[in-house]
């Protein structure tokens, strides 16, 4: 346990530079006194770590000193190969670099771990795309990635649900979700999310910006998606569904699935049951529920039921045969 902790401290100091004892203690979930003991152990082992006092002080490594990549455990090495996504790396223009990095990592591992790493990469494959998606690569993905890296403002023409407008954004990060690329960007002091496939035109501005110091892309994305899912469901519907209909409803989204799984459903003799489900705005909800077909009946609210009935009547007119 201590050896693993010492290695973690070493990696933190090597990658982040000067770090306070309080910060190390918080990340390692130990006391500050334990951190000081660990630093003494590193010094005794010949690691050139020193302390800087003062308000912004902390521990740091001697400039230019680095350790070799020999502290990985076997499970950690397997995890690194398991996390590789050659498809997205290629789309970003980094396919060759990713392959070279994997080769260098493999060469740095102990001989008996190399076979384990190869087994992991040959037996597991991660495909982030959804079913029936053509694998569309956004036209401006590489340019946006370069702007994210160089902290450069870009001018875009963006097509939203309502209109198409010209905007200047400060790209903070790229996210691949369900096979779709998004850029998280700052505009007019607010952080927003843009779907790359809806960018119609893009041009550099030549202007740089200062990235917010406290912005953390993974944390922001988790909270933003949760907020989106919370906000998008504006009401509830009373439905009557067969067993197959309940399965289809669960497939609509995680929010609907969780709501159904939290219910105690008592089917009738024919297997049908009544219950409430969360819904988005009436128009979209009627589209989704109509798509399920005859395995779900909308009982309320009246406006939603009327929209579903209208959808069904429209389809019936389209498929009318010989006036019947």
């Amino acid at each position: 346990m201590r050896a693993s902790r010492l290695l973690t401290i070493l990696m933190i100091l090597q990658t982040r530079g000067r770090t306070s004892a309080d910060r190390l203690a918080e990340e390692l979930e130990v006391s500050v006194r334990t951190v000081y003991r660990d630093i003494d152990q590193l010094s005794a082992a010949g690691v050139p770590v020193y302390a800087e006092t003062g308000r912004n002080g902390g521990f740091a490594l001697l400039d230019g000193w680095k350790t070799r990549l020999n502290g990985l455990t076997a499970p950690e090495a397997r995890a690194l190969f398991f996390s590789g996504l050659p498809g997205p790396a290629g789309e970003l223009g980094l396919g060759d670099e990713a392959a070279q990095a994997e080769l260098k990592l493999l060469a740095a591992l102990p001989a008996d771990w190399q076979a384990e790493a190869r087994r992991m990469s040959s037996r597991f494959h991660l495909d982030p795309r959804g079913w029936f998606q053509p694998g569309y690569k956004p036209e401006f993905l590489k340019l946006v990635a370069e702007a994210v890296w160089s902290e450069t403002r870009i001018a875009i023409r963006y097509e939203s649900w309502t209109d198409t407008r010209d905007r200047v954004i400060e790209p903070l990060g790229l996210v691949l979700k369900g096979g779709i690329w998004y850029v998280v960007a700052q505009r007019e002091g607010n952080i927003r999310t843009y779907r790359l496939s809806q960018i119609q035109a893009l041009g550099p501005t030549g202007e740089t910006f200062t990235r917010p110091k406290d912005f953390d892309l993974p944390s922001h994305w988790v909270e933003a998606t949760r907020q989106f899912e919370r906000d998008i469901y504006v009401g509830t519907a009373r439905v009557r569904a067969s067993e197959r209909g309940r399965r289809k409803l669960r497939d609509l989204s995680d929010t609907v699935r969780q709501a159904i799984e939290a219910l105690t459903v008592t089917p009738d003799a024919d297997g049908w049951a009544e219950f409430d489900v969360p819904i988005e705005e009436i128009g979209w909800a009627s589209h989704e529920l109509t798509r399920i077909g005859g395995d779900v009946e909308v009982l309320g609210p009246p406006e939603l039921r009327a929209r579903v009935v209208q959808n069904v009547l429209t389809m019936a007119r389209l498929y009318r045969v010989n006036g019947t």
Side-chain angles (χ1 to χ4, degrees):
M1 181 67 179
R2 167 172 283 190
S4 176
R5 194 170 65 240
L6 293 176
L7 179 61
T8 300
I9 292 176
L10 183 58
M11 292 297 103
I12 290 175
L13 297 181
Q14 183 168 303
T15 56
R16 301 182 190 172
R18 185 174 60 247
T19 307
S20 69
D22 289 338
R23 181 66 182 273
L24 289 171
E26 180 181 353
E27 292 204 22
L28 298 170
E29 298 182 349
V30 296
S31 67
V32 172
R33 178 174 296 181
T34 298
V35 169
Y36 278 101
R37 285 201 299 264
D38 289 343
I39 293 294
D40 289 339
Q41 288 288 324
L42 288 173
S43 295
V47 176
V49 57
Y50 65 94
E52 293 185 353
T53 59
R55 181 178 181 183
N56 296 319
F59 296 108
L61 296 173
L62 190 67
D63 288 345
W65 189 90
K66 288 184 178 295
T67 183
R68 293 179 301 166
L69 181 63
N70 55 11
L72 284 174
T73 65
E76 289 168 347
R78 290 196 299 268
L80 284 175
F81 280 88
F82 184 57
S83 65
L85 294 174
E91 291 178 352
L92 287 168
L94 299 174
D96 292 341
E97 288 82 356
Q100 289 299 318
E102 184 172 311
L103 286 174
K104 290 179 180 179
L105 174 59
L106 190 63
L109 294 175
D112 56 339
W113 290 1
Q114 292 184 14
E116 282 288 294
R118 287 194 177 98
R119 286 182 64 202
M120 177 62 74
S121 60
S122 66
R123 299 191 181 197
F124 295 92
H125 176 69
L126 303 182
D127 183 358
R129 302 191 183 281
W131 287 103
F132 311 113
Q133 293 188 2
Y136 170 71
K137 174 185 174 181
E139 179 181 358
F140 303 109
L141 175 59
K142 190 173 181 180
L143 293 175
V144 174
E146 291 173 353
V148 169
W149 186 251
S150 62
E151 298 179 2
T152 304
R153 293 188 181 95
I154 52 176
I156 64 172
R157 176 164 296 165
Y158 188 75
E159 180 183 6
S160 66
W161 290 355
T162 56
D163 59 11
T164 301
R165 292 187 181 182
D166 294 329
R167 298 176 170 90
V168 175
I169 63 173
E170 299 174 347
L172 303 176
L174 282 165
V175 176
L176 178 64
K177 180 177 177 61
I180 299 172
W181 284 99
Y182 298 87
V183 57
V184 178
Q186 187 169 249
R187 182 170 71 88
E188 299 176 353
N190 298 312
I191 296 179
R192 308 169 188 270
T193 301
Y194 302 90
R195 184 167 173 166
L196 259 66
S197 60
Q198 293 175 214
I199 296 179
Q200 306 300 309
L202 182 148
T205 65
E207 303 172 353
T208 59
F209 65 91
T210 301
R211 182 184 177 87
K213 292 183 179 180
D214 59 347
F215 178 75
D216 181 78
L217 180 61
S219 299
H220 168 80
W221 184 258
V222 169
E223 180 54 35
T225 52
R226 286 176 180 170
Q227 185 65 45
F228 175 77
E229 291 174 355
R230 286 194 298 265
D231 293 346
I232 200 171
Y233 288 93
V234 295
T236 59
R238 186 71 175 176
V239 299
R240 178 173 172 268
S242 66
E243 182 179 353
R244 185 167 63 177
R246 294 193 290 276
R247 290 198 300 269
K248 291 181 178 180
L249 284 169
R250 284 194 292 267
D251 289 340
L252 290 179
S253 72
D254 282 344
T255 300
V256 176
R257 176 184 57 79
Q258 291 171 11
I260 293 176
E261 290 179 352
L263 297 173
T264 301
V265 176
T266 305
D268 60 20
D270 296 324
W272 288 67
E274 288 187 21
F275 50 92
D276 294 328
V277 293
I279 59 169
E280 303 175 38
E281 57 89 21
I282 295 296
W284 184 255
S286 68
H287 168 76
E288 291 287 273
L289 293 170
T290 302
R291 194 162 57 91
I292 293 178
D295 290 303
V296 172
E297 178 187 4
V298 176
L299 303 177
E303 181 183 1
L304 176 58
R305 181 179 174 89
R307 291 287 289 270
V308 173
V309 169
Q310 185 59 49
N311 292 342
V312 173
L313 291 176
T314 299
M315 292 180 64
R317 285 195 294 270
L318 288 173
Y319 289 93
R320 184 176 298 168
V321 179
N322 296 327
T324 60

